[in-house]
Each structure stands twice: as structure tokens, then as C-alpha cells.
Amino acid sequence: MPQNLWNDAEAKALPDLDGLVYRSNLLGRDRAVCNIFGGNTSAKIDVVNHAGRQTRVLAVKASGSDLATITEPQFAILYLDDILPLINREAMTDEEMVAYLDRTAFEPGRPRQSIETLMHAFVPFKHVDHTHPDAIISLACTPNAEQTAKDVYGDRMVYVKYIRPGFTLSKWIGEKIAANPQAECVVMGKHGLIAWADDSKTCYDNSIRIIAEAEAYIAERKRGKRVYGQLTVPALPEAERREIMTEVLPVIRGAVSKRSHTILQYDDSEAVLDMVGSAKSGEVSQQGAACPDHLVHVKRQPLFIDWRADQGVDALKKLVQDGVADYEQRYGEYFETNKEPGDELRDSAPRVILIPGIGMVNTGKDVANADVSRQLYHRAVEVIGGAEALGEFVSLTAKESYDIEYWPLELYKLRLRPPDRDFAGKVVLITGGASGIGRATAYKLASDGAHVVVADINTENGEEVAADLQKRFGKKRAMFVHTDVTSEAAVQNSMQQAILAYGGLDVLVNNAGIAGGMPIEETTLADWQRQIDILATGYFLMAREAFILMKRQGIGGTMVFVGSKNSIAAGKGAAAYSAAKAAEIHLARCIAEEGGAHGIRVNSVLPDAVIRGSSIWSGDWKAERAANYGVEIDQLNDFYRQRNVLKVEILAEDQAEAIAFLAGPRSSKTTGAVLTVDGGVAAAYVR
Ligand code: NAD
């Protein structure tokens, strides 16, 4: 049941617009009341305009914001008296409506008003909530939805059949409410709910109470029923699911990323496992979308994979690949059947993939987008289940779906998005990402759109980097995985974590390292072995596992090895380190040779003397190097600056820039190369 979350003490002090923000956030807090990014709210407010005149404005949610997190600047504010006379018109196209409303802006610079603004204006009450509650949509997605809604509310409700939002729907709603003064809500066929009042608290109370009535009605009819049928495929044990998906997610990612790189979210929550394993889920899930607001992020149908564990993992991979190809073909047919002049086919890959015994996989252009799809399919499961409990689920038709998916006003929201950056939709794993060059690279690639896996033995610093990246770029845009690159099992675990979090991997930055130098006679076997283990073996293990994963995905990939000036210039007094660094770049070239056939590029960056921010310079290394060159420790920075021909200090950010270039699309025809980033040191000039 929806909880009434209103708190008088919190609400009282808030003036009109802030009060509207408060109410909106409360509604958005419960996703069974209001979908992520769905629904909208409004208030009609008396204000004094810039000329000192008393005037009425409509504050309404702007297009593309989410009620749960909406803030005051995300409301559009429009002159209400300019809008109200529109109800007397016979018709208005979407373009006319938007152009008209754009001219009623009370304050310049606010975002564009919701597509449903006219409906808010025409409801003759001060406060209006339009939500997409699961239970209401269940009522509204049954064969005789109007009668079903009447059974719950009697004449306290007026019903409007489904049409795409716009002028006509708004006019119908305004007129129906005017003609039915006893009504306290509108149920919108295959869409949602409108409730209202003259004060904000009553408006909220009404929304919650009306939704609770529908929930109680459905709960009664659900009692003792399994709405998706008997459980025919029980969930596999969690560890087994994860093992299987470690192999299968990269295959899915490859299949759905043909047009552009896609991030996956894997959901094996109880509700999903129960649904996908039930007898009727394969059939019911294919009916169509339950609500226009779901559709935009889950598409008309999920891809249902009819697989049983006894068929084996290879069969699942094949079913997924064939399933995606078939889905894309069917999507193309849907596009051809319904397209209007000027329409262009958009991504035809599924956004939701259901696998019995395993769970659900959602796709998106980034992790936030994939997560919206995940959240909305949870809502769809509830809505469809509710409708089935009431008799039968009736979805939007193919034509209705198409008209939403390719609606110019929906496409407008997509156009608001900034153009894709170099690493949009890509997953990057950086070893040694907790410090120095790796850390600077993590920030650089994240700011260029990457999802970043920070792999390091330093948990404290690694977690701090990941948390800060999340704060700056989004909740799931980065993660930390404790990884010792010398351990085969740890390296494999880091790949598995990347797969389970994002679906795969596109870029490996092989960077974790140490320093250390001494004359050859003093170099113990243990010293030698340590350098070889971390620098040579560590780079090998990471690269091998990344190679296997990239090949499985089948969409190419890049690796950047962070070598050193010492990879090609003999490092006096640092034989073990230099030999290991030389091994790294030769390893890179060998893998470049093998990777070409699979679109996997491997290049190296060779830094020299990055002192600021690097922890390898905080130990004995600095003293050793100073002694080696016969300078004081505090002169070392200047020594290195004077050593290069450009006389510049070399920064971790300079390395990150070069790594981003070699890892990204701007170097798409370069592989097996080395790029020095050292200010120019003749000994390291590449010959
Ligand atoms: P740094 O010490 O600041 O960062 C290295 C990171 O690697 C640390 O966070 C450390 O915890 C991690 N690490 C060490 N051993 C690990 C292991 N076994 N498994 C996982 N993580 C491990 O050093 P940096 O200067 O940023 O160096 C990064 C790379 O650049 C190294 O490969 C280094 O050899 C190379 N490099 C650095 C310089 C320089 O002057 N700083 C010059 C040439 C090459």
C-alpha cells in the first residue's frame, strides 16, 4: 500500500513553489506511485510580475525531470491566463501547442514545460498531480478498463480512453471534469491517474488515497493466485547464476552494441526471478507495453529467451545471439509498418532481456539509462501482474507504441542530450587506479564518458577515487575492485566484477606498478622477482583476461600499457625495473599482432619522471634516483625538468591525455605503437 509521507512540520514553512517541490518529491519517492522520470505535478500560483502587476502563473514540471529529485529550477512557469482560453479551440497540433506555450513563459531561461502542461492548466483546481501508479495502470490495461475503474470508484472517477498526450487529451480531461463536479480523479486508459485539490496537502492525500483504493481492489483479486502462472523454472542458485552470466553478459553486450556501445545491468531480484520462471511469462511479456512512460525505456516488448539450465551455457549464448538478431529484424518490420515520412530507424536492439532461472538484463547508453530501464520493467511486471489478476492484460497497440517512440516531442527530449563523448557507453578498467597516473587517467576517462573500474591493492585510496568519481559523474559510473595484479584469481575476479557491473570491458589500462633500483650486484633474486611479478606478469595476466573478454564480446577493444622511458632507454642502476618495463612494451606489441583480427588495439605510453601525485616517488626510490644522478633529493624535480629538451615538468595528467588518445576512437588506426610523454629525452627517442 502506498504510504502517506506528508509531514506537516516540513511542509508548512514552504511557500507555493517550494511546496510544489516538496509534494513532487514525496510522490516520486514511491516508484509504485510514480515512475522514474514519469508523471508531473503543477500549482496555479498568484504572483507579481516584473512590471509589478498581480498575475496567475502555472508552475508545471519541466520536460525530462524526475519527480523524486526535482528542484525548483526544474519547473516551467507560464502565464496561466494566456493558456486557459485554448480550451475553446477545436484542435491544435503538437507543434502549435509547443510554440504557443513557449511564448507564455513567465520567466525566461527555465526549461521547456511538460508535454502534459495543457492538461494541468485545464483541470480547474489549484493543485494537480498526474502519476503513473502501478495499480491504476493495471485497472487501465484491462479489456473493459472503464467498467473496472468504475467498480473501484463509482462516479467519483471519470475515465478517458487512451490517446497520445497533447491538446485533444487535455481538452477531453478539462471538459469531463467540468461536466462531472462530483469527480475526484481521472483514470486515463493505458496511462495513469490525475488527482487534484485546492490545497497541496489535500491534493497529495487524494492521490495516495485513490491509489490505495486501487491497490486494495487488486490485492483482493490477486489473493491466492499466481498471476504469471506456475513456477516452471526455479531460480538457479546465486553463485551459479553469476558464473553463467560472467560468460553470457559479454555475449549479450556484443550482440546489442552493434550500433553503439551499450552498458548492461543484470537484475536477479526475487520478483524478477519469480516472473521469468513462471509458465505464462514468455507469452504475457510479449503483449506490449503497459504505459507510454514505460515504453520509452523498455521498448514495446522484452526479448524472452526460452532456455533451461540443462541445455548448457553455450546453448544460452547461441539463443541470446539469435534472439537479438531476430528481435532486431522484428523491430525493423515494426518500424517499416508504422513509419511516417521523415522518420529514421533508431536503435533496434532490445532494452530488456528475460532469461528463466537467471533473471533480467537491461541495456542502456550508459549505466543510469540501463538502470532506468531496469526500474521501469519492475513497474511493468507489477502492472501486467495486476491486470492479469483482474482478468487479462491489454497493452498499447503496436501503432500506439510507435507513435510514442517516434513522437517528435519525445525525440526532442533525446535531442536535449549533449553529443556522445569519446568513451560514452564504454567500460574501462585501470590497474593502479588508486594513485598517480592511474588516478589521473580514471578522472580523465570518466569525464570523457567512461564507466571506470579502479583495480588496485590499495583499498583505502581506491575506494576514495571510486566514490569521488561517483559523486562527480553519477552513482554507478565507477567502482573499486581490490586486485593484486600478480594473482591470477584476483585478476579474473576483477574481470568478473566489471562484467557483472557493466556487462563487459572495452579498455584496459595496464598501469599498476612499483619502482625500485639498485646496482646489479646488489639486486637480489627477490628484488628481481618482485619487479617481474608486478610489472611483467601483472601486465600479462590482465591483458590475457581482457583479451579473452574482448574477444567474447566481439566488438573490439583497446589496451594501453603504461611503460616507462626505461622500456627503451637503459636505466642505469635499475636493471630489474627496466628489464620488466621493456618486457611490458614488447608484450603489448605481441598482443597487438594477435588482437588485430579482433579489432583489439594495444599501444604503450612511456612516461618519465612524474613526481607530483605519484606514490612511487614517496619511498626510497627518490633517494636512490637522487644518489644515482648525484643531486640532492629536493633538486630532483628540477634535475628531471632540465633533463628533457622542452624543460617542462611532466604531470600525471599529461600521461592521462596520451592514454585517452590511445584508448579512444581518435587513434582508431594505431596499434603496436609507443608514445613517449617525457618532455623529450633523447635516450628514449623511438628508432
Ligand atoms: P603510483 O605509486 O602513484 O601508483 C601505482 C599504483 O599501483 C598504486 O596505487 C599501487 O597501489 C598500485 N599497485 C602496486 N602494486 C600493485 C599490485 N600488485 N596490484 C595492483 N595494484 C598495485 O605510481 P605512478 O607513478 O602512478 O605509476 C604508474 C605506472 O607508471 C607504473 O607502472 C610506473 O612504473 C609507471 N611510470 C611512472 C613514472 C613516474 O615517474 N611516476 C615514470 C615511468 C613509468
Side-chain angles (χ1 to χ4, degrees):
M1 283 299 144
Q3 296 293 308
N4 190 318
L5 304 168
W6 192 272
N7 179 320
D8 269 332
E10 280 174 12
K12 221 170 235 158
L14 300 170
D16 281 328
L17 194 48
D18 288 338
L20 176 59
V21 172
Y22 174 72
R23 185 173 93 235
S24 307
N25 294 161
L26 286 197
L27 289 167
R29 210 180 286 175
D30 184 348
R31 294 305 190 191
V33 166
C34 194
N35 297 330
I36 183 163
F37 292 121
N40 33 63
T41 50
S42 69
K44 300 176 179 84
I45 305 171
D46 292 313
V47 293
V48 176
N49 76 0
H50 65 285
R53 269 195 301 277
Q54 191 73 28
T55 186
R56 279 195 304 165
V57 296
L58 175 72
V60 63
K61 187 187 115 167
S63 193
S65 39
D66 179 22
L67 286 184
T69 54
I70 197 166
T71 55
E72 192 266 350
Q74 291 171 296
F75 280 89
I77 304 183
L78 310 173
Y79 279 104
L80 183 60
D81 293 337
D82 288 353
I83 302 173
L84 289 177
L86 292 179
I87 199 165
N88 299 318
R89 293 202 185 184
E90 278 310 308
M92 233 178 157
T93 66
D94 290 340
E95 292 73 23
E96 287 168 344
M97 178 181 78
V98 170
Y100 187 101
L101 289 174
D102 282 350
R103 285 166 179 269
T104 66
F106 172 75
E107 247 179 42
R110 283 189 176 255
R112 184 187 269 186
Q113 61 286 340
S114 153
I115 290 160
E116 278 151 330
T117 293
L118 282 188
M119 178 272 285
H120 282 271
F122 296 164
V123 175
F125 291 86
K126 199 172 167 198
H127 295 270
V128 180
D129 292 340
H130 166 43
T131 51
H132 301 127
D134 296 347
I136 300 285
I137 311 179
S138 292
L139 300 178
C141 283
T142 51
N144 196 354
E146 180 166 7
Q147 189 52 51
T148 313
K150 272 214 175 91
D151 290 347
V152 182
Y153 302 110
D155 67 357
R156 291 181 292 132
M157 176 248 13
V158 285
Y159 181 84
V160 287
K161 65 175 188 186
Y162 178 82
I163 54 164
R164 191 170 74 181
F167 175 80
T168 307
L169 179 61
S170 305
K171 186 174 159 87
W172 284 358
I173 288 169
E175 289 176 348
K176 279 218 171 184
I177 295 173
N180 291 278
Q182 81 294 347
E184 57 178 26
C185 69
V186 175
V187 170
M188 304 159 81
K190 300 191 247 187
H191 187 157
L193 174 73
I194 305 167
W196 53 76
D198 275 329
D199 69 275
S200 193
K201 177 177 185 328
T202 311
C203 184
Y204 176 78
D205 288 347
N206 285 348
S207 286
I208 298 300
R209 176 177 49 79
I210 290 162
I211 296 164
E213 285 182 57
E215 278 197 18
Y217 182 85
I218 293 170
E220 187 59 32
R221 275 144 195 86
K222 254 188 185 171
R223 187 166 303 148
K225 268 193 204 165
R226 284 192 54 86
V227 287
Y228 286 99
Q230 288 313 307
L231 186 69
T232 46
V233 186
L236 293 170
E238 185 179 343
E240 201 179 326
R241 295 197 297 266
R242 307 264 148 156
E243 278 310 312
I244 292 173
M245 289 315 268
T246 303
E247 281 197 51
V248 176
L249 283 168
V251 176
I252 296 179
R253 184 157 186 262
V256 298
S257 294
K258 295 272 164 359
R259 209 176 161 104
S260 59
H261 280 73
T262 299
I263 298 296
L264 309 185
Q265 286 286 277
Y266 170 45
D267 184 328
D268 56 353
S269 58
E270 227 173 272
V272 164
L273 286 168
D274 188 67
M275 188 262 183
V276 294
S278 298
K280 282 164 62 181
S281 62
E283 184 198 323
V284 177
S285 65
Q286 298 306 301
Q287 303 267 321
C291 162
D293 287 73
H294 293 183
L295 177 88
V296 177
H297 291 282
V298 303
K299 285 217 167 121
R300 198 165 76 82
Q301 293 159 317
L303 169 61
F304 187 87
I305 305 289
D306 198 0
W307 173 80
R308 301 285 179 279
D310 57 15
Q311 292 173 264
V313 180
D314 286 341
L316 178 55
K317 289 184 198 163
K318 172 98 176 56
L319 283 170
V320 163
Q321 281 169 324
D322 293 350
V324 171
D326 179 58
Y327 186 99
E328 295 200 330
Q329 194 198 323
R330 283 186 285 121
Y331 187 88
E333 289 161 9
Y334 155 78
F335 175 79
E336 287 301 323
T337 311
N338 296 292
K339 73 176 178 195
E340 303 284 345
D343 285 356
E344 278 175 32
L345 178 77
R346 289 183 25 229
D347 192 11
S348 49
R351 299 286 313 269
V352 182
I353 300 172
L354 305 176
I355 309 174
I358 294 282
M360 166 167 75
V361 178
N362 298 83
T363 72
K365 67 180 187 58
D366 58 28
V367 68
N369 191 243
D371 197 55
V372 170
S373 168
R374 188 189 68 78
Q375 292 192 44
L376 283 174
Y377 205 74
H378 271 271
R379 307 284 34 110
V381 169
E382 282 300 314
V383 169
I384 296 170
E388 285 286 311
L390 298 173
E392 188 189 343
F393 168 61
V394 178
S395 71
L396 293 174
T397 64
K399 175 75 180 135
E400 287 165 348
S401 298
Y402 183 89
D403 289 346
I404 290 290
E405 241 189 294
Y406 286 84
W407 188 13
L409 297 190
E410 277 297 339
L411 297 179
Y412 166 81
K413 284 193 216 168
L414 300 178
R415 278 202 304 278
L416 290 181
R417 291 180 185 156
D420 279 350
R421 285 156 296 164
D422 275 3
F423 294 92
K426 298 221 170 126
V427 186
V428 170
L429 188 148
I430 305 170
T431 67
S435 175
I437 295 169
R439 183 188 183 116
T441 304
Y443 281 87
K444 167 69 184 157
L445 299 188
S447 70
D448 287 346
H451 300 72
V452 176
V453 181
V454 176
D456 205 295
I457 36 167
N458 187 329
T459 302
E460 195 185 334
N461 291 359
E463 281 180 345
E464 185 217 304
V465 171
D468 192 48
L469 291 174
Q470 288 178 2
K471 206 160 76 200
R472 287 164 193 252
F473 301 105
K475 213 165 114 208
K476 293 185 171 177
R477 274 282 298 282
M479 63 189 282
F480 169 72
V481 183
H482 181 272
T483 312
D484 179 349
V485 296
T486 65
S487 151
E488 191 169 24
V491 167
Q492 284 164 346
N493 175 61
S494 72
M495 296 293 158
Q496 181 177 35
Q497 297 312 316
I499 292 169
L500 293 173
Y502 301 122
L505 184 71
D506 303 293
V507 177
L508 167 68
V509 181
N510 239 342
N511 162 79
I514 49 162
M518 64 231 16
I520 187 68
E521 307 115 286
E522 292 166 29
T523 304
T524 64
L525 180 58
D527 293 332
W528 169 264
Q529 198 58 53
R530 189 166 126 80
Q531 298 290 347
I532 296 295
D533 282 352
I534 296 176
L535 300 175
T537 310
Y539 277 41
F540 152 71
L541 286 174
M542 290 301 309
R544 186 191 66 189
E545 294 304 314
F547 194 96
I548 293 169
L549 170 48
M550 288 173 184
K551 199 172 149 189
R552 184 171 289 155
Q553 279 178 151
I555 47 172
T558 58
M559 300 188 200
V560 180
F561 284 31
V562 180
S564 163
K565 181 207 84 180
N566 291 21
S567 297
I568 50 178
K572 188 178 162 208
Y577 173 78
S578 304
K581 282 284 163 191
E584 285 173 5
I585 67 160
H586 201 56
L587 176 67
R589 288 187 290 239
C590 295
I591 301 173
E593 276 293 291
E594 288 190 49
H598 309 287
I600 300 170
R601 298 188 295 110
V602 191
N603 293 291
S604 302
V605 168
L606 311 188
D608 184 37
V610 178
I611 298 178
R612 245 197 285 175
S614 165
S615 56
I616 60 177
W617 289 95
S618 57
D620 297 340
W621 178 244
K622 208 169 181 177
E624 282 162 14
R625 291 291 90 194
N628 190 57
Y629 295 118
V631 297
E632 296 299 319
I633 291 186
D634 58 2
Q635 293 168 344
L636 199 62
N637 219 346
D638 200 43
F639 167 81
Y640 279 120
R641 190 195 300 245
Q642 294 309 323
R643 190 171 77 167
N644 67 60
V645 295
L646 293 172
K647 311 290 180 220
V648 287
E649 181 184 0
I650 314 298
L651 304 174
E653 288 72 20
D654 301 323
Q655 311 302 327
E657 199 61 54
I659 292 166
F661 172 71
L662 289 173
R666 286 172 294 145
S667 64
S668 63
K669 294 179 187 166
T670 300
T671 193
V674 294
L675 176 57
T676 55
V677 185
D678 58 7
V681 179
Y685 287 168
V686 181
R687 283 157 205 104

